[in-house]
Amino acid sequence: MDIAVLGAGAMGSVYGAFLASQPENNVTLIDIWREHIEAINAKGLTINTPEGDMVVKNLTAVTSALDLKPQDLVIIFVKATVTEEAMRQAANLVGPSTIALTLQNGLGNIEKLCRVVDPKRVVGGINSYGSSMKGPGEVILRGRGETVFGEIDGSQSERLSNLKKVFDKAGLPSSVTTNVQGRIWTKLISNIAINAPCAILGIKNGRLLEHPESVTLLEGAVTEAVAVGKAMGIIFETDDPIQYAKKVIDNTGENVCSMLQDIRAKRQTEIAVINGAIVEGGFKHGIPTPINMVLTNLVKVIQENYPAK
Ligand code: PAF
């Protein structure tokens, strides 16, 4: 299977490496971070897993999708802030039988992809792994989670049953849902609980559960998000969103969440499509979201105060 991963940061690299571990998969990583791409081409991609290092050499890494042919599968892993632009620049990867799969954080990625490629090609999904970059060509996998995807019209399809087999065989246990928006919102709950609080406090995910103050904060933020989601007709895939969020925190306790990684690297964060999206939804549906508004505003101020490069 020809697979391209668009956005080979920590998560894209982990998925690319696992998929490339199967000889029948021909994997190409695409990322604008030149040092990372050059390091992969020079010495392979190293994933530090809790079980030891995994070094993958049989994949290709490039800084632009321009010269590539249409793929069987394109996994979109760029930051949610640049989904539309990145897909536009790589639209040549999507042919009449390609699956364009988003496993990104945040709300709105499906909609952005559908603006650029044929919506029939687009599949939504989530992952809840915890990983971070160690340096060019090297990624640390700190916590495993789930990979779930589903057709955007809620149907069951053969292409996704087949895709599940490809992921499972590569060591990425997956499942198929008929409620993809519900699944994306359920994953969002963990990002609501973890990302902005950890980014503002400068702590690893697991530390959040060690202080009653941060527990109260994350519970409040999650409660608001669930109220907004329910008002929008979302059917969550958990009966206890707070417990769900705490379980993700446990599973990724040693991880530095993606938003804290972004802040440390002085990059734009995904705040607008995580807590910001809750504030926006709250306005539309008359639901107060003071905690998410404070979290959103604080992260925005941090971003606006990055020293000039
Ligand atoms: O954004 C992240 O960092 C991840 O989605 C998660 C699951 C919160 C783990 O850190």
Side-chain angles (χ1 to χ4, degrees), residues 22-60:
Q22 300 305 304
E24 67 275 19
N25 294 334
N26 177 20
V27 175
T28 308
L29 300 183
I30 306 158
D31 202 281
I32 54 172
W33 184 20
R34 186 168 289 281
E35 289 90 334
H36 183 45
I37 295 303
E38 283 171 357
I40 296 170
N41 286 326
K43 52 185 175 51
L45 173 60
T46 303
I47 312 288
N48 308 150
T49 79
E51 299 82 38
D53 278 4
M54 174 180 173
V55 183
V56 184
K57 294 205 164 138
N58 61 325
L59 43 67
T60 312

mmCIF file of all heavy atoms in Angstrom, residues 22-60:
data_model
loop_
_atom_site.group_PDB
_atom_site.id
_atom_site.type_symbol
_atom_site.label_atom_id
_atom_site.label_comp_id
_atom_site.label_asym_id
_atom_site.label_seq_id
_atom_site.Cartn_x
_atom_site.Cartn_y
_atom_site.Cartn_z
ATOM 1 N N GLN A 22 5.977 -2.808 8.089
ATOM 2 C CA GLN A 22 5.413 -3.910 7.284
ATOM 3 C C GLN A 22 5.917 -3.789 5.848
ATOM 4 O O GLN A 22 5.722 -2.743 5.210
ATOM 5 C CB GLN A 22 3.876 -3.851 7.302
ATOM 6 C CG GLN A 22 3.283 -3.969 8.697
ATOM 7 C CD GLN A 22 3.758 -5.219 9.412
ATOM 8 O OE1 GLN A 22 3.611 -6.331 8.916
ATOM 9 N NE2 GLN A 22 4.369 -5.044 10.589
ATOM 10 N N PRO A 23 6.540 -4.840 5.315
ATOM 11 C CA PRO A 23 7.180 -4.721 3.994
ATOM 12 C C PRO A 23 6.221 -4.359 2.858
ATOM 13 O O PRO A 23 6.640 -3.771 1.867
ATOM 14 C CB PRO A 23 7.789 -6.109 3.765
ATOM 15 C CG PRO A 23 7.191 -7.004 4.799
ATOM 16 C CD PRO A 23 6.729 -6.156 5.925
ATOM 17 N N GLU A 24 4.928 -4.667 3.027
ATOM 18 C CA GLU A 24 3.989 -4.357 1.939
ATOM 19 C C GLU A 24 3.614 -2.877 1.892
ATOM 20 O O GLU A 24 2.969 -2.425 0.946
ATOM 21 C CB GLU A 24 2.720 -5.242 2.034
ATOM 22 C CG GLU A 24 1.823 -4.991 3.224
ATOM 23 C CD GLU A 24 2.265 -5.752 4.487
ATOM 24 O OE1 GLU A 24 3.435 -6.177 4.562
ATOM 25 O OE2 GLU A 24 1.433 -5.903 5.403
ATOM 26 N N ASN A 25 4.030 -2.104 2.913
ATOM 27 C CA ASN A 25 3.708 -0.672 2.917
ATOM 28 C C ASN A 25 4.888 0.155 2.429
ATOM 29 O O ASN A 25 6.013 -0.036 2.872
ATOM 30 C CB ASN A 25 3.325 -0.206 4.333
ATOM 31 C CG ASN A 25 2.041 -0.838 4.813
ATOM 32 O OD1 ASN A 25 1.192 -1.219 3.994
ATOM 33 N ND2 ASN A 25 1.881 -0.982 6.111
ATOM 34 N N ASN A 26 4.569 1.061 1.521
ATOM 35 C CA ASN A 26 5.578 1.928 0.953
ATOM 36 C C ASN A 26 5.288 3.333 1.506
ATOM 37 O O ASN A 26 4.372 4.006 1.043
ATOM 38 C CB ASN A 26 5.381 1.832 -0.570
ATOM 39 C CG ASN A 26 6.292 2.725 -1.308
ATOM 40 O OD1 ASN A 26 7.319 3.155 -0.784
ATOM 41 N ND2 ASN A 26 5.908 3.056 -2.537
ATOM 42 N N VAL A 27 6.038 3.730 2.549
ATOM 43 C CA VAL A 27 5.663 4.930 3.312
ATOM 44 C C VAL A 27 6.549 6.129 2.951
ATOM 45 O O VAL A 27 7.769 6.010 2.880
ATOM 46 C CB VAL A 27 5.766 4.654 4.837
ATOM 47 C CG1 VAL A 27 5.498 5.913 5.654
ATOM 48 C CG2 VAL A 27 4.810 3.538 5.243
ATOM 49 N N THR A 28 5.885 7.276 2.735
ATOM 50 C CA THR A 28 6.615 8.529 2.509
ATOM 51 C C THR A 28 6.196 9.544 3.575
ATOM 52 O O THR A 28 4.996 9.775 3.771
ATOM 53 C CB THR A 28 6.284 9.130 1.123
ATOM 54 O OG1 THR A 28 6.486 8.134 0.135
ATOM 55 C CG2 THR A 28 7.164 10.338 0.816
ATOM 56 N N LEU A 29 7.173 10.100 4.256
ATOM 57 C CA LEU A 29 6.886 11.165 5.230
ATOM 58 C C LEU A 29 7.123 12.513 4.566
ATOM 59 O O LEU A 29 8.139 12.696 3.879
ATOM 60 C CB LEU A 29 7.810 11.058 6.443
ATOM 61 C CG LEU A 29 7.770 9.778 7.266
ATOM 62 C CD1 LEU A 29 8.707 9.898 8.467
ATOM 63 C CD2 LEU A 29 6.362 9.477 7.748
ATOM 64 N N ILE A 30 6.201 13.437 4.777
ATOM 65 C CA ILE A 30 6.334 14.772 4.170
ATOM 66 C C ILE A 30 6.310 15.810 5.291
ATOM 67 O O ILE A 30 5.357 15.844 6.087
ATOM 68 C CB ILE A 30 5.167 15.052 3.194
ATOM 69 C CG1 ILE A 30 5.062 13.927 2.161
ATOM 70 C CG2 ILE A 30 5.341 16.414 2.507
ATOM 71 C CD1 ILE A 30 3.702 13.821 1.522
ATOM 72 N N ASP A 31 7.349 16.609 5.349
ATOM 73 C CA ASP A 31 7.373 17.659 6.372
ATOM 74 C C ASP A 31 8.291 18.793 5.914
ATOM 75 O O ASP A 31 9.297 18.541 5.244
ATOM 76 C CB ASP A 31 7.876 17.100 7.712
ATOM 77 C CG ASP A 31 7.427 17.972 8.874
ATOM 78 O OD1 ASP A 31 8.047 19.026 9.115
ATOM 79 O OD2 ASP A 31 6.417 17.622 9.517
ATOM 80 N N ILE A 32 7.934 20.008 6.306
ATOM 81 C CA ILE A 32 8.763 21.151 5.879
ATOM 82 C C ILE A 32 10.005 21.327 6.762
ATOM 83 O O ILE A 32 10.868 22.145 6.463
ATOM 84 C CB ILE A 32 7.949 22.480 5.861
ATOM 85 C CG1 ILE A 32 7.283 22.709 7.212
ATOM 86 C CG2 ILE A 32 6.940 22.491 4.732
ATOM 87 C CD1 ILE A 32 6.620 24.074 7.331
ATOM 88 N N TRP A 33 10.124 20.536 7.833
ATOM 89 C CA TRP A 33 11.284 20.636 8.729
ATOM 90 C C TRP A 33 12.463 19.885 8.088
ATOM 91 O O TRP A 33 12.592 18.673 8.198
ATOM 92 C CB TRP A 33 10.931 20.056 10.104
ATOM 93 C CG TRP A 33 12.009 20.202 11.125
ATOM 94 C CD1 TRP A 33 13.048 21.071 11.104
ATOM 95 C CD2 TRP A 33 12.143 19.431 12.332
ATOM 96 N NE1 TRP A 33 13.835 20.901 12.225
ATOM 97 C CE2 TRP A 33 13.304 19.908 12.990
ATOM 98 C CE3 TRP A 33 11.399 18.405 12.921
ATOM 99 C CZ2 TRP A 33 13.736 19.373 14.201
ATOM 100 C CZ3 TRP A 33 11.837 17.883 14.121
ATOM 101 C CH2 TRP A 33 12.989 18.362 14.759
ATOM 102 N N ARG A 34 13.299 20.642 7.401
ATOM 103 C CA ARG A 34 14.356 20.062 6.564
ATOM 104 C C ARG A 34 15.340 19.188 7.356
ATOM 105 O O ARG A 34 15.691 18.095 6.917
ATOM 106 C CB ARG A 34 15.096 21.204 5.832
ATOM 107 C CG ARG A 34 16.112 20.752 4.820
ATOM 108 C CD ARG A 34 16.575 21.899 3.941
ATOM 109 N NE ARG A 34 15.558 22.343 3.011
ATOM 110 C CZ ARG A 34 15.244 21.733 1.874
ATOM 111 N NH1 ARG A 34 15.881 20.648 1.514
ATOM 112 N NH2 ARG A 34 14.298 22.198 1.088
ATOM 113 N N GLU A 35 15.756 19.640 8.530
ATOM 114 C CA GLU A 35 16.755 18.866 9.314
ATOM 115 C C GLU A 35 16.205 17.483 9.655
ATOM 116 O O GLU A 35 16.927 16.487 9.632
ATOM 117 C CB GLU A 35 17.113 19.577 10.638
ATOM 118 C CG GLU A 35 17.940 20.826 10.484
ATOM 119 C CD GLU A 35 17.076 22.068 10.323
ATOM 120 O OE1 GLU A 35 15.918 21.962 9.841
ATOM 121 O OE2 GLU A 35 17.553 23.161 10.657
ATOM 122 N N HIS A 36 14.928 17.415 9.974
ATOM 123 C CA HIS A 36 14.291 16.132 10.329
ATOM 124 C C HIS A 36 14.277 15.200 9.111
ATOM 125 O O HIS A 36 14.665 14.038 9.191
ATOM 126 C CB HIS A 36 12.870 16.443 10.824
ATOM 127 C CG HIS A 36 12.070 15.269 11.301
ATOM 128 N ND1 HIS A 36 12.585 14.301 12.131
ATOM 129 C CD2 HIS A 36 10.768 14.914 11.073
ATOM 130 C CE1 HIS A 36 11.635 13.399 12.391
ATOM 131 N NE2 HIS A 36 10.529 13.752 11.754
ATOM 132 N N ILE A 37 13.877 15.755 7.983
ATOM 133 C CA ILE A 37 13.793 14.970 6.748
ATOM 134 C C ILE A 37 15.189 14.466 6.352
ATOM 135 O O ILE A 37 15.382 13.284 6.020
ATOM 136 C CB ILE A 37 13.162 15.838 5.625
ATOM 137 C CG1 ILE A 37 11.712 16.181 5.981
ATOM 138 C CG2 ILE A 37 13.266 15.164 4.250
ATOM 139 C CD1 ILE A 37 10.784 15.015 6.228
ATOM 140 N N GLU A 38 16.175 15.360 6.446
ATOM 141 C CA GLU A 38 17.546 14.955 6.072
ATOM 142 C C GLU A 38 18.080 13.900 7.027
ATOM 143 O O GLU A 38 18.726 12.932 6.603
ATOM 144 C CB GLU A 38 18.479 16.182 6.054
ATOM 145 C CG GLU A 38 18.248 17.013 4.797
ATOM 146 C CD GLU A 38 18.971 18.365 4.804
ATOM 147 O OE1 GLU A 38 19.622 18.700 5.818
ATOM 148 O OE2 GLU A 38 18.851 19.075 3.783
ATOM 149 N N ALA A 39 17.776 14.034 8.315
ATOM 150 C CA ALA A 39 18.256 13.041 9.298
ATOM 151 C C ALA A 39 17.627 11.674 9.017
ATOM 152 O O ALA A 39 18.305 10.638 9.087
ATOM 153 C CB ALA A 39 17.911 13.510 10.711
ATOM 154 N N ILE A 40 16.345 11.653 8.673
ATOM 155 C CA ILE A 40 15.672 10.370 8.388
ATOM 156 C C ILE A 40 16.317 9.723 7.162
ATOM 157 O O ILE A 40 16.610 8.511 7.157
ATOM 158 C CB ILE A 40 14.150 10.577 8.159
ATOM 159 C CG1 ILE A 40 13.474 11.091 9.430
ATOM 160 C CG2 ILE A 40 13.494 9.276 7.677
ATOM 161 C CD1 ILE A 40 12.036 11.539 9.245
ATOM 162 N N ASN A 41 16.552 10.526 6.135
ATOM 163 C CA ASN A 41 17.155 9.959 4.919
ATOM 164 C C ASN A 41 18.589 9.488 5.167
ATOM 165 O O ASN A 41 19.054 8.526 4.563
ATOM 166 C CB ASN A 41 17.092 10.965 3.773
ATOM 167 C CG ASN A 41 15.674 11.091 3.239
ATOM 168 O OD1 ASN A 41 14.920 10.119 3.220
ATOM 169 N ND2 ASN A 41 15.287 12.294 2.843
ATOM 170 N N ALA A 42 19.291 10.143 6.088
ATOM 171 C CA ALA A 42 20.693 9.782 6.339
ATOM 172 C C ALA A 42 20.807 8.553 7.239
ATOM 173 O O ALA A 42 21.617 7.667 6.989
ATOM 174 C CB ALA A 42 21.420 10.968 6.972
ATOM 175 N N LYS A 43 20.000 8.487 8.321
ATOM 176 C CA LYS A 43 20.224 7.386 9.272
ATOM 177 C C LYS A 43 18.949 6.682 9.724
ATOM 178 O O LYS A 43 18.956 5.936 10.699
ATOM 179 C CB LYS A 43 21.043 7.865 10.483
ATOM 180 C CG LYS A 43 20.502 9.113 11.172
ATOM 181 C CD LYS A 43 21.460 9.559 12.285
ATOM 182 C CE LYS A 43 21.120 10.829 12.978
ATOM 183 N NZ LYS A 43 19.900 11.137 13.535
ATOM 184 N N GLY A 44 17.852 6.915 9.020
ATOM 185 C CA GLY A 44 16.602 6.247 9.379
ATOM 186 C C GLY A 44 15.860 7.042 10.452
ATOM 187 O O GLY A 44 16.363 8.032 10.983
ATOM 188 N N LEU A 45 14.659 6.582 10.749
ATOM 189 C CA LEU A 45 13.822 7.246 11.754
ATOM 190 C C LEU A 45 13.857 6.398 13.027
ATOM 191 O O LEU A 45 13.557 5.203 12.988
ATOM 192 C CB LEU A 45 12.389 7.350 11.199
ATOM 193 C CG LEU A 45 11.295 7.847 12.121
ATOM 194 C CD1 LEU A 45 11.586 9.257 12.619
ATOM 195 C CD2 LEU A 45 9.944 7.825 11.380
ATOM 196 N N THR A 46 14.229 7.017 14.139
ATOM 197 C CA THR A 46 14.308 6.267 15.403
ATOM 198 C C THR A 46 13.125 6.639 16.285
ATOM 199 O O THR A 46 12.862 7.820 16.516
ATOM 200 C CB THR A 46 15.625 6.604 16.146
ATOM 201 O OG1 THR A 46 16.704 6.300 15.268
ATOM 202 C CG2 THR A 46 15.770 5.794 17.419
ATOM 203 N N ILE A 47 12.435 5.610 16.778
ATOM 204 C CA ILE A 47 11.359 5.850 17.736
ATOM 205 C C ILE A 47 11.800 5.211 19.050
ATOM 206 O O ILE A 47 12.037 4.002 19.108
ATOM 207 C CB ILE A 47 10.012 5.194 17.283
ATOM 208 C CG1 ILE A 47 9.678 5.514 15.813
ATOM 209 C CG2 ILE A 47 8.874 5.601 18.225
ATOM 210 C CD1 ILE A 47 9.254 6.917 15.514
ATOM 211 N N ASN A 48 11.943 6.026 20.093
ATOM 212 C CA ASN A 48 12.243 5.471 21.432
ATOM 213 C C ASN A 48 10.916 5.021 22.019
ATOM 214 O O ASN A 48 10.073 5.844 22.357
ATOM 215 C CB ASN A 48 12.837 6.525 22.370
ATOM 216 C CG ASN A 48 14.034 7.263 21.786
ATOM 217 O OD1 ASN A 48 14.264 8.418 22.112
ATOM 218 N ND2 ASN A 48 14.783 6.622 20.922
ATOM 219 N N THR A 49 10.711 3.704 22.137
ATOM 220 C CA THR A 49 9.461 3.205 22.717
ATOM 221 C C THR A 49 9.781 2.683 24.116
ATOM 222 O O THR A 49 10.945 2.408 24.421
ATOM 223 C CB THR A 49 8.845 2.061 21.869
ATOM 224 O OG1 THR A 49 9.554 0.856 22.165
ATOM 225 C CG2 THR A 49 8.903 2.351 20.384
ATOM 226 N N PRO A 50 8.763 2.518 24.958
ATOM 227 C CA PRO A 50 9.039 1.976 26.298
ATOM 228 C C PRO A 50 9.725 0.609 26.219
ATOM 229 O O PRO A 50 10.415 0.203 27.140
ATOM 230 C CB PRO A 50 7.643 1.864 26.922
ATOM 231 C CG PRO A 50 6.800 2.852 26.166
ATOM 232 C CD PRO A 50 7.352 2.897 24.775
ATOM 233 N N GLU A 51 9.563 -0.093 25.107
ATOM 234 C CA GLU A 51 10.174 -1.433 24.969
ATOM 235 C C GLU A 51 11.568 -1.367 24.336
ATOM 236 O O GLU A 51 12.201 -2.406 24.150
ATOM 237 C CB GLU A 51 9.298 -2.348 24.099
ATOM 238 C CG GLU A 51 7.894 -2.627 24.633
ATOM 239 C CD GLU A 51 6.910 -1.513 24.309
ATOM 240 O OE1 GLU A 51 6.985 -0.956 23.198
ATOM 241 O OE2 GLU A 51 6.087 -1.187 25.193
ATOM 242 N N GLY A 52 12.017 -0.196 23.973
ATOM 243 C CA GLY A 52 13.341 -0.087 23.351
ATOM 244 C C GLY A 52 13.258 0.708 22.060
ATOM 245 O O GLY A 52 12.173 1.117 21.635
ATOM 246 N N ASP A 53 14.414 0.927 21.439
ATOM 247 C CA ASP A 53 14.448 1.749 20.226
ATOM 248 C C ASP A 53 14.013 0.972 18.998
ATOM 249 O O ASP A 53 14.329 -0.203 18.851
ATOM 250 C CB ASP A 53 15.885 2.244 19.978
ATOM 251 C CG ASP A 53 16.178 3.465 20.817
ATOM 252 O OD1 ASP A 53 15.307 3.853 21.617
ATOM 253 O OD2 ASP A 53 17.280 4.013 20.657
ATOM 254 N N MET A 54 13.311 1.659 18.136
ATOM 255 C CA MET A 54 12.888 1.065 16.873
ATOM 256 C C MET A 54 13.514 1.964 15.793
ATOM 257 O O MET A 54 13.305 3.182 15.819
ATOM 258 C CB MET A 54 11.361 1.170 16.865
ATOM 259 C CG MET A 54 10.643 0.775 15.652
ATOM 260 S SD MET A 54 8.863 1.050 16.067
ATOM 261 C CE MET A 54 8.187 0.747 14.465
ATOM 262 N N VAL A 55 14.340 1.381 14.927
ATOM 263 C CA VAL A 55 14.964 2.201 13.875
ATOM 264 C C VAL A 55 14.402 1.740 12.531
ATOM 265 O O VAL A 55 14.514 0.573 12.176
ATOM 266 C CB VAL A 55 16.505 2.072 13.880
ATOM 267 C CG1 VAL A 55 17.121 2.980 12.820
ATOM 268 C CG2 VAL A 55 17.062 2.415 15.259
ATOM 269 N N VAL A 56 13.767 2.657 11.821
ATOM 270 C CA VAL A 56 13.107 2.295 10.572
ATOM 271 C C VAL A 56 13.827 2.979 9.421
ATOM 272 O O VAL A 56 13.981 4.202 9.417
ATOM 273 C CB VAL A 56 11.616 2.727 10.606
ATOM 274 C CG1 VAL A 56 10.892 2.261 9.359
ATOM 275 C CG2 VAL A 56 10.940 2.177 11.840
ATOM 276 N N LYS A 57 14.292 2.143 8.478
ATOM 277 C CA LYS A 57 15.068 2.722 7.371
ATOM 278 C C LYS A 57 14.319 2.670 6.042
ATOM 279 O O LYS A 57 14.632 3.424 5.133
ATOM 280 C CB LYS A 57 16.397 1.985 7.238
ATOM 281 C CG LYS A 57 17.285 2.210 8.460
ATOM 282 C CD LYS A 57 18.747 2.045 8.160
ATOM 283 C CE LYS A 57 19.565 2.644 9.268
ATOM 284 N NZ LYS A 57 20.702 1.878 9.662
ATOM 285 N N ASN A 58 13.326 1.759 5.967
ATOM 286 C CA ASN A 58 12.682 1.591 4.663
ATOM 287 C C ASN A 58 11.503 2.545 4.483
ATOM 288 O O ASN A 58 10.376 2.128 4.264
ATOM 289 C CB ASN A 58 12.245 0.134 4.456
ATOM 290 C CG ASN A 58 11.261 -0.293 5.496
ATOM 291 O OD1 ASN A 58 11.357 0.141 6.636
ATOM 292 N ND2 ASN A 58 10.299 -1.112 5.122
ATOM 293 N N LEU A 59 11.780 3.831 4.677
ATOM 294 C CA LEU A 59 10.770 4.817 4.301
ATOM 295 C C LEU A 59 11.458 5.998 3.635
ATOM 296 O O LEU A 59 12.660 6.199 3.774
ATOM 297 C CB LEU A 59 9.897 5.245 5.491
ATOM 298 C CG LEU A 59 10.481 5.548 6.861
ATOM 299 C CD1 LEU A 59 11.332 6.777 6.835
ATOM 300 C CD2 LEU A 59 9.352 5.753 7.853
ATOM 301 N N THR A 60 10.664 6.768 2.898
ATOM 302 C CA THR A 60 11.205 7.913 2.185
ATOM 303 C C THR A 60 10.749 9.168 2.927
ATOM 304 O O THR A 60 9.645 9.191 3.457
ATOM 305 C CB THR A 60 10.613 7.946 0.748
ATOM 306 O OG1 THR A 60 10.734 6.641 0.202
ATOM 307 C CG2 THR A 60 11.300 8.942 -0.137
#
